[in-house]
Amino acid sequence: MYFAALLARTEDGWEASDTELDDVETLSDLTDLAREASVDEDTVLVYIEQEDAWFGVVRVDGEEDPRIYVSDASAAARSSYGEILLTDELLGREPGAEDEIAALEELVDLDGTEDGEPDDPLPDADGAGGAVTEPDLDQEDPDAVPAGPLGDLAILADLGLSEKDLLTLRTDALAEIADALGAADVLEAVR
């Protein structure tokens, strides 16, 4: 179960609205949604949570690039909305690297065998062929998503929620974020 909300800062404080993410497929779509809710290009926070699994905050300040924080990247990676937030940049990957690797794998058989040719098995202890392969434990999966928090820890620091406090949020994080922003009452009206 997902919940998403927008908190837009105005001259009179914060305005809150729940939002549907059905038409959101990319971070760019999410950023555009936030900018539409912005008053005078002021700060807008998009909050997304998957019940008891993870939450994410995207901060959009005018035309600046969005800032992102995800409470548990590995949990978010298993979610369609979480995947939107886990950009190559946030994960420390070369942009477009996954697309390039997939294209190369289609062009070249990277395991070194011809089509229809069986893999050469490693010999077992008596020298005969066996089907056991040794895993290479020294190589890290470049596509692996780290467990735990990921992103801009200072995303809410200037709004009243320190990095340390952000890291301690678990369940019902939106209520604590809204409380720190002074937006608890307006959020409660839409929740």
Side-chain angles (χ1 to χ4, degrees):
M1 174 103 183
Y2 291 95
F3 176 76
L6 288 172
L7 291 170
R9 187 163 51 182
T10 68
E11 288 180 5
D12 301 325
W14 291 92
E15 290 181 6
S17 60
D18 61 347
T19 188
E20 289 294 322
L21 299 177
D22 294 339
D23 296 330
V24 174
E25 295 179 6
T26 65
L27 180 59
S28 181
D29 294 342
L30 191 61
T31 303
D32 290 344
L33 181 71
R35 287 191 176 120
E36 289 171 13
S38 176
V39 177
D40 297 325
E41 295 190 0
D42 212 338
T43 301
V44 176
L45 302 175
V46 181
Y47 177 88
I48 302 170
E49 87 177 12
Q50 182 179 1
E51 194 170 282
D52 296 330
W54 66 275
F55 71 89
V57 178
V58 177
R59 178 176 176 164
V60 178
D61 294 299
E63 292 300 315
E64 292 181 25
D65 288 341
R67 296 166 58 189
I68 304 166
Y69 171 80
V70 178
S71 67
D72 186 339
S74 63
R78 296 185 296 272
S79 152
S80 59
Y81 295 125
E83 287 180 343
I84 291 170
L85 304 181
L86 298 174
T87 63
D88 286 337
E89 183 180 342
L90 190 67
L91 293 169
R93 296 180 186 155
E94 188 71 32
E98 282 183 20
D99 297 336
E100 290 176 21
I101 291 170
L104 286 173
E105 286 176 346
E106 284 181 25
L107 293 173
V108 179
D109 185 6
L110 295 180
D111 69 358
T113 63
E114 297 289 329
D115 287 338
E117 180 181 308
D119 292 339
D120 288 333
L122 290 177
D124 51 16
D126 65 359
V132 177
T133 59
E134 297 276 335
D136 188 356
L137 300 177
D138 294 336
Q139 286 187 346
E140 288 186 30
D141 181 1
D143 294 329
V145 176
L150 187 66
D152 186 347
L153 294 176
I155 192 169
L156 301 172
D158 64 323
L159 300 174
L161 192 70
S162 71
E163 294 176 21
K164 179 182 172 192
D165 291 338
L166 183 62
L167 286 170
T168 62
L169 297 179
R170 293 291 172 248
T171 58
D172 205 22
L174 181 56
E176 293 185 46
I177 291 170
D179 190 42
L181 301 175
D185 292 339
V186 294
L187 178 66
E188 196 58 40
V190 299
R191 199 152 197 208

